[in-house]
Amino acid sequence: MNENISQIDYREIMEYSLDPLIIHTNLRIIDVNHTAEDFFRATKDKIIGASPLDIFQESSKAAIEKRIESAYVQPARVIEETIYRMDGTTVEVELYCHPVQIGETKAIQTYVRDITMRKETELKQREIRKEINELSATLVPVLNGIAILPLVGSIDEDRAKQLLDEVPFRVQKQDINCLIMDFTGIYTFNSVVTDYLFKINAVLSLLGVRSIITGLRPELALTAIQLDNKLDSIPTLSTVKQALNSLGINQDPTIPVNKK
């Protein structure tokens, strides 16, 4: 190859970048690309000469200055920050910076990536997850102080903890004396979830509430036994219908009730 890499136009590379780029040294901005002008809502002559610290909130400036000092030696890790545009508006961004040599000057190139949409999506997902978790802790009353807790989806430690916090409170509020915990819609759980399951049962027992587990799939039942051999301490039946029948509530008048 005859191409001489030293002849590459670095400024042209900067301008083609889709991310806002800032070149700064000694806490003074010496160059930006066109994308940075659009992003910061200011022309290049308004940005060049300013301090890169000016875009940060006061609470972040000390840490950012230390980060800049270390970036002269090696690239700094990617971080998330809230920064100011030149018109005073704030925006959530992802920042990455690394050392560059501009002629005889050692400088830093900083990439700025707008993550506002990603943050909004994450917030919506958290809100949806919270609503689902709250719904999953809803007790469905049957009659005579009996209720069903239908569990669906996957149960992680956070959701299991929420169940432990919410279920006893709702049981007391709804004056429940027997709770059927139905696992028909659950496909996986681990030892942590199993531990919370027994904690829920223990708390309900202290409140004088009887627990019954239904809907455990064969693979889940095997997993539960392997993780904790106390599963047999909680009455377990195949279906909610069987649980109701065992409590003397017959959903089908053609089927005789087997009372224990």
Side-chain angles (χ1 to χ4, degrees):
M1 296 179 66
N2 297 322
E3 292 85 353
N4 186 347
I5 196 169
S6 65
Q7 296 176 355
I8 291 176
D9 187 341
Y10 180 73
R11 159 125 301 278
E12 186 177 14
I13 293 175
M14 276 188 65
E15 288 301 336
Y16 278 120
S17 173
L18 296 178
D19 290 321
L21 297 180
I22 303 172
I23 306 294
H24 52 97
T25 184
N26 298 321
L27 297 181
R28 179 179 173 274
I29 297 174
I30 59 176
D31 200 3
V32 296
N33 64 355
H34 181 68
T35 309
E37 292 182 87
D38 292 340
F39 178 79
F40 285 102
R41 299 175 180 173
T43 57
K44 183 178 295 189
D45 62 305
K46 297 278 188 182
I47 301 174
I48 291 177
S51 168
L53 295 179
D54 291 343
I55 65 174
F56 294 96
Q57 301 177 90
E58 286 297 329
S59 58
S60 301
K61 287 185 177 181
I64 294 298
E65 186 170 1
K66 289 182 179 179
R67 171 184 165 85
I68 290 174
E69 290 174 1
S70 65
Y72 283 104
V73 179
Q74 60 182 4
R77 63 183 178 83
V78 177
I79 61 170
E80 295 179 3
E81 275 285 345
T82 300
I83 66 172
Y84 292 101
R85 293 188 176 101
M86 298 297 284
D87 62 1
T89 58
T90 59
V91 58
E92 295 283 335
V93 299
E94 198 172 66
L95 299 170
Y96 169 67
C97 58
H98 61 81
V100 292
Q101 193 73 27
I102 310 294
E104 299 297 320
T105 303
K106 184 176 286 189
I108 293 173
Q109 177 169 278
T110 297
Y111 295 76
V112 183
R113 180 166 295 166
D114 188 343
I115 58 172
T116 303
M117 291 185 64
R118 191 186 84 192
K119 286 295 185 180
E120 290 175 352
T121 300
E122 290 174 353
L123 178 60
K124 288 179 181 178
Q125 289 175 339
R126 285 196 299 270
E127 290 174 347
I128 292 172
R129 193 178 302 116
K130 181 181 178 182
E131 290 177 3
I132 291 174
N133 287 344
E134 289 177 351
L135 183 62
S136 68
T138 300
L139 307 185
V140 181
V142 182
L143 51 87
N144 299 329
I146 300 170
I148 301 169
L149 174 63
L151 299 170
V152 295
S154 61
I155 300 182
D156 55 16
E157 184 174 358
D158 289 338
R159 186 177 172 195
K161 184 178 184 302
Q162 183 179 12
L163 288 172
L164 178 60
D165 293 337
E166 292 285 335
V167 170
F169 169 75
R170 298 191 182 195
V171 161
Q172 281 193 309
K173 185 177 181 180
Q174 295 180 223
D175 197 23
I176 304 300
N177 54 52
C178 182
L179 181 64
I180 301 170
M181 293 184 284
D182 184 45
F183 282 73
T184 302
I186 296 295
Y187 292 86
T188 60
F189 59 71
N190 55 31
S191 58
V192 175
V193 175
T194 305
D195 184 54
Y196 272 100
L197 174 63
F198 288 109
K199 287 179 180 178
I200 293 171
N201 179 63
V203 173
L204 293 180
S205 295
L206 291 174
L207 296 175
V209 178
R210 178 184 177 187
S211 301
I212 299 176
I213 292 178
T214 62
L216 273 182
R217 301 171 186 275
E219 60 271 25
L220 287 185
L222 180 60
T223 300
I225 291 173
Q226 293 171 340
L227 292 172
D228 198 315
N229 59 14
K230 296 180 293 185
L231 183 65
D232 57 4
S233 65
I234 307 176
T236 305
L237 294 169
S238 297
T239 65
V240 170
K241 185 175 182 179
Q242 288 182 356
L244 293 174
N245 284 339
S246 73
L247 296 169
I249 302 174
N250 194 344
Q251 301 297 295
D252 187 345
T254 65
I255 300 177
V257 175
N258 296 318
K259 295 185 179 181
K260 293 188 178 181

